[in-house]
Amino acid sequence: MGDKIDNPVVTEHELSELRSLIETRSGILFDNSRHRFLSSRVAEYMQRRSLTRGADLLRLITSSNVEYESLLERLLTQETRFYRYPEMFSAFERKVLPEMHMKKFWENPRTLRIWSAGCATGEEPYTIAMSICETLEFAEAWNVSILATDVSREALQSAERGVYTRRAVEGLTPHQVETYFLRVGEQYMVKPKIRNMVSFAPMNLAQTVYMGRFDCIFCMNVLIYFSDQRRAALIQRFYEYLEPGGYLFLGHAESAANAQVKFNQVMHDGARLLQKPLGMPGPHAFAATEATP
Ligand SMILES: C[S@@+](CC[C@H](N)C(=O)[O-])C[C@H]1O[C@@H](n2cnc3c(N)ncnc32)[C@H](O)[C@@H]1O
């Protein structure tokens, strides 16, 4: 007797095989804290594919890249919103951008390169763009480029469209909605002024790619997808990609603990930023989780 299609059966062993297959293949880790999430998303996927046994799922994804990618898409969480951590964006506007303004005032061209690593559906890079427009004096005189990357192609497609529901823009001020969005029926589309500041590209952060240098890197709520070892290696790469004096923005629950590199920890109105030292690390450069200078 076969199992019912609406009740797929995946054993613990199959689930753990799936977990290690994803880690080996994509460098993405679903640890024990996300066990329930993983098993329920896998069950949903199997129902859609009319699969009843974990063994059939494993066979399918090992024999087809398309199926593997499609399952992976279902397992990634794209939860995000505009100005997700207001105090971080306030620190960006009040501390980091004025600092960049001073530092680059005499540069010609005056450039600002920012990376939103793990940008999901685009709210984060568009928030960065809005913050820059609202804060940077003579923003139009700057050559601003915001690179936004994610491993999820579906999330990137939606980010590139830049069309959001009324609910998504609810947390913005009426002035921001009016200045940066066009109303299209019941939806809100980012205006070209903002859209053109951002370029999107698919990228798996577990893989090493030459990126050039950035003034700021935002990598919020993505490190949970990495093992301790990969996380430390990624933080090390972020450090190398940053200009001296550049900033790394992590999510609330994330830290650069265990990384070998020495960021300075900078507190600004409740926000914790990590800054790459300006010159050679001196006696005041601490490991990222240690005391504030
Ligand atoms: C919870 S969202 C965070 C979005 C945004 N940074 C924020 O904080 O609001 C996590 C994003 O990380 C992406 N992600 C997960 N693993 C990744 C990897 N190895 N490389 C690139 N992106 C990854 C997911 O696809 C998802 O869009």
Side-chain angles (χ1 to χ4, degrees), residues 221-232:
N221 305 301
V222 185
L223 296 179
I224 44 156
Y225 287 101
F226 293 94
S227 64
D228 288 347
Q229 196 188 354
R230 282 189 201 271
R231 196 175 301 158

Side-chain angles (χ1 to χ4, degrees), residues 123-135:
E123 286 85 336
E124 182 177 284
Y126 291 133
T127 299
I128 298 169
M130 285 189 275
S131 276
I132 290 172
C133 288
E134 307 225 312
T135 313

Side-chain angles (χ1 to χ4, degrees), residues 14-222:
E14 286 160 347
L15 214 51
S16 113
E17 223 178 289
L18 175 67
R19 227 188 259 138
S20 63
L21 186 123
I22 296 174
E23 220 219 326
T24 312
R25 201 153 153 182
S26 303
I28 295 174
L29 175 73
F30 290 89
D31 63 11
N32 285 336
S33 68
R34 286 186 303 150
H35 181 272
R36 276 180 61 185
F37 170 84
L38 180 70
S39 51
S40 75
R41 288 280 175 108
V42 166
E44 270 169 41
Y45 184 81
M46 289 175 68
Q47 274 176 336
R48 272 218 243 132
R49 288 283 185 275
S50 306
L51 297 170
T52 53
R53 297 180 321 142
D56 298 334
L57 174 72
L58 287 167
R59 199 169 309 115
L60 183 69
I61 60 169
T62 43
S63 62
S64 155
N65 275 341
V66 175
E67 290 292 339
Y68 172 77
E69 295 296 335
S70 154
L71 171 65
L72 191 59
E73 285 281 352
R74 299 278 77 74
L75 301 180
L76 299 168
T77 317
Q78 264 94 42
E79 191 196 328
T80 184
R81 57 186 177 274
F82 292 108
Y83 291 93
R84 182 170 190 170
Y85 298 125
E87 76 288 357
M88 293 296 252
F89 286 100
S90 165
F92 178 59
E93 293 178 8
R94 293 179 187 191
K95 173 164 181 59
V96 176
L97 287 175
E99 230 174 82
M100 298 285 158
H101 180 80
M102 296 285 284
K103 182 172 151 193
K104 298 186 178 227
F105 191 78
W106 298 109
E107 276 183 21
N108 189 9
R110 231 185 262 168
T111 59
L112 191 60
R113 274 196 93 208
I114 296 179
W115 181 13
S116 165
C119 66
T121 42
E123 286 85 336
E124 182 177 284
Y126 291 133
T127 299
I128 298 169
M130 285 189 275
S131 276
I132 290 172
C133 288
E134 307 225 312
T135 313
L136 203 60
E137 269 181 64
F138 310 113
E140 54 293 339
W142 284 71
N143 187 350
V144 177
S145 71
I146 302 166
L147 173 67
T149 63
D150 203 285
V151 73
S152 163
R153 286 176 189 263
E154 284 179 20
L156 278 179
Q157 270 172 16
S158 155
E160 279 185 285
R161 278 179 60 230
V163 177
Y164 297 94
T165 59
R166 179 198 293 265
R167 189 135 189 253
V169 300
E170 236 166 41
L172 300 174
T173 63
H175 168 79
Q176 286 169 327
V177 175
E178 197 178 307
T179 313
Y180 303 114
F181 293 82
L182 276 173
R183 181 125 184 226
V184 184
E186 286 304 298
Q187 300 200 295
Y188 296 79
M189 180 191 271
V190 284
K191 286 187 179 172
K193 175 184 163 91
I194 293 298
R195 174 66 190 78
N196 294 339
M197 290 166 74
V198 187
S199 43
F200 293 94
M203 186 185 297
N204 184 347
L205 292 169
Q207 287 152 9
T208 308
V209 179
Y210 176 72
M211 300 291 296
R213 285 288 183 96
F214 293 91
D215 297 295
C216 295
I217 298 176
F218 288 73
C219 185
M220 293 172 159
N221 305 301
V222 185

